[in-house]
Amino acid sequence: MNVRLEPAAVRGFRFAGVAAGLRSERGRKDLGIIVADSPAAAAGVFTTNRVKAAPVQVAQEHIRGGRLRAVAVNSGSANCFTGKTGIKLARDSAASLARAIGCDTQLVAPCSTGVIGHLYDLEKYRAGITDAVAALHADSFADFATAIITTDTHAKIASVQMKVAGSAITVAGCAKGAGMIQPKMATMLAFIVTDAAVPTPQLRAILKHLLPVSFNAVTIDGDMSTNDTLLLLASGAAGNRRLAGRDLANFEQAVSGVAETLARELVRDGEGATKLVTIEVRGARNAVEADRVAREIANSPLVKTAFFGCDPNFGRIAMAAGKAGVAIATERLEVSVGGIKIASGGALNVAALPAAGEKMKQPEFGLILNLKQGKASAQVMTCDLSFDYVKINAEYTT
Amino acid sequence: MNVRLEPAAVRGFRFAGVAAGLRSERGRKDLGIIVADSPAAAAGVFTTNRVKAAPVQVAQEHIRGGRLRAVAVNSGSANCFTGKTGIKLARDSAASLARAIGCDTQLVAPCSTGVIGHLYDLEKYRAGITDAVAALHADSFADFATAIITTDTHAKIASVQMKVAGSAITVAGCAKGAGMIQPKMATMLAFIVTDAAVPTPQLRAILKHLLPVSFNAVTIDGDMSTNDTLLLLASGAAGNRRLAGRDLANFEQAVSGVAETLARELVRDGEGATKLVTIEVRGARNAVEADRVAREIANSPLVKTAFFGCDPNFGRIAMAAGKAGVAIATERLEVSVGGIKIASGGALNVAALPAAGEKMKQPEFGLILNLKQGKASAQVMTCDLSFDYVKINAEYTT
C-alpha cells in the first residue's frame, strides 16, 4: 500500500473550494464543498469537548441516518459559543447547499473552523455556495482542501489507490488544523472519501479502529478543539463486491494509512513545530496505562522544550512518566531517544547523552520508554514547543 | 495577621547555609540545615509522582515517628533515579548530620534538589555539614533559604509573629523552585518552622488543610516534580498552652498564611513568568469539578500564551474548560478577566475585550469562570507562558 501526499479523483464525488468573503483576508478560499452523485454511506466522529460548536451538533444529528449527499465547510468562524443563533446558522447553511443540489437538508453535514464566539454572514455564505456548486469538479479535491485551512502553512492531502474485492478503488483524504493545537482557529477537520462500496456499519467500525492510531494518536499541546470533526464517505462507484475477510482488512489498512498520514502531516505543520517526535511506551501492564504515560510525556511543556533544545533530558521524561498515576519501577525503566539508550537498570547512561542529543537535531525522531511491567504499548505523535509556538499564540492575536 | 516577606528567628531552631562545592557554580551556597535544640514535632507531605527521589523516600520513612531534630537540604543534585546507591547516599547524608549534632539518624530528614539522575559527592557533603553545624545561628534563616534555591531568581521567605494561646509565637517558612515548573532543577521544597507548642497530629491536620489553598493551588506548567517536599516543624519553645478552638484556628491561619505567601511567590518567580494569574471557577456542582476546570484553564498552553499576549481569548478559555470532562451549559457560562465580563448568557461581549486586554497588562490579575450549575468553587494560581520559559528550558540545557 502506497500512501501519496497528493489529491486524487474519487468516482462518485465532486469537489470545490471558493472565496466567499467569510474571512478577513480578501480573495482567500474559505468555503469548500464535497458533493456525492447520490447519497453516500457515511460515518463520523466528533470532538469530545463538552463545549461543542453548533455545526458539530447539527452534523452529528444529520449523520445519524448513515448517509450523506454533501459536506459544506467554511473557515473563518468556528460558529461555536454562538447559542441558538449559531444552531440556526448551521442549519441554514446546510439547507442552502441542500437546495442548490436538490436533496434533503438532513443529507448535508455542515462544518466550521475559525474564531470561537463569532458568527459568519449567511448571505455571503449562500452566494459562496452558489459559486461552489457551479465550480464542482471531480479533480478539485485540492481546492476543497485549501478552502478549509486556517493557520496551516499548507493543505494536507493523502490518497491511496489499490485493488480491493475485484475492483480498483481510491481513498482520498484531507485535514486542516493541527489537532488540539490551535483552538483559536478552532479545529481539526478531516474528510476521507472513497469510491469503494462500503455499508455504513463497516465505515463506522473502520473509523473506530483507525482513530486510536491516527488522529487520536497525535497531540500538539493537549488542547482539544470544540469543532473537531472527521467524516468518512463511500460512494460505492467502484462497484466492488461486499468487503469481507482479507479484502476488508486491506481496505481498512488503506483508510487507516490515509488517516495516519494526515495525522502525521498535522503534527509536522503544528504551530511553531520544528520536530516530529514519536513517543512509544512499551512494557506497560495495559494499553490504557501505556497511553496515559505516552500522553503525559508528549504534553509536558518541559519535555517539549527539551525536544526543541535537542536536550535528551531524562529527568523531565521520568518526571512526566511518573505523574501519569501509573506504578513505575524506576530500577527497570529503560529510555531511548533517537535509538540511543539514555537510561536503563535504574541508572542514567551519561556517556550516551551527546549522541542522543545529536539524533534530536533531526526533524523526526522517536522516544521509547519501556516500563518493563507487561506487554502493552501505545504510541503518540507530538512536536516540540518552540519560540514560534509562543509567538504565534501570544503575539498574533485577534 | 500580617505575613511579612522577611526571615525571623524562631525559638528552638538554628539555621545555616554554606557552600559545600556540590554545585558547579563555585562559592555558591548549596547546603542548608535546620537544627532544633531538641526533637521537634514534625509533619510532612511529599510528591505524589510515582518516580520519587531517594531523599523523599528516606525522609518519608524518618518523619513517620512524628519528630525531627534536623533537616539537611542540598541543591545541585536531586538524587533521583539513582537506584540503591541513591538511597544509601541519602541515608549517609542524614547520618552525617545526625552524628555532628549527636542524635539518631531517624531524626534527620534529608532533602535534595537539582538535576535528576546524578549523585553528589558524599565527602564534600560531609565537609559541608561540618561547616554548616559550625555556622548554625538563630538568625541565619535567610542563609538556609538561599542555600536551597536553584534556578530561582531569589530566596522566598515569609514569616508571621502573633500571640496565640497566651504566648507570642513565630512562624517562618521558605520555599524554592516554582512548584511543578522546573523538574530539571527537580523541585519544590518548602520548610516551615514555628516555636509554638503543637503536637504532631495537629501539625499533620494543619498541613492537610493548608495544602489545597497553598502549594497544591499553584501550577506553572502542570509538571510535577520527583522531589517535592513540604516539612512543618514545631519546637514548642514558645511554651504556649495546648492549642484548641479559636487559638488553633488562629495558629492554623498563620501557618496557612505563610504557606500561601510562599506559594504565590513561587508562581511569581516561575520560569519566564511575567504575570501571576488567579483562576477562579465558581458555580460548579462540586469542588472536584471546579478544581478540574480551573486546572485545565491554568495548564492550557494556549490560554497561557494568551495571558502573555494580553489577549482576552474567550475561545481558548472555553475550550480548556470544555475539555475538563465536566458538563458545561454554554448558554449559562460567564467569564470575566481582570474584573471585565467578556462573556455571558451564551454570547461573547465583544465590546468589552479591549478593556479586558488592558487589565491583562498588569503583573497580576484574576480570571473568573462561573459555570452557574451549583455552589462549589476552586482557585488556582498560575503564570503565563512566555518566550523566556522556552528559552530557559530549551536553550540553557545541561
Side-chain angles (χ1 to χ4, degrees), chain A residues 122-147:
Chain A
L122 184 60
E123 285 319 305
K124 284 184 184 171
Y125 186 98
R126 283 177 174 151
I129 287 291
T130 305
D131 290 351
V133 170
L136 277 170
H137 198 281
D139 292 331
S140 299
F141 192 76
D143 285 345
F144 171 79
T146 303

Side-chain angles (χ1 to χ4, degrees), chain A residues 189-209:
Chain A
L189 297 180
F191 305 93
I192 303 177
V193 292
T194 179
D195 49 10
V198 196
T200 304
Q202 277 188 342
L203 289 184
R204 288 183 181 145
I206 288 168
L207 272 194
K208 206 173 158 184
H209 296 160

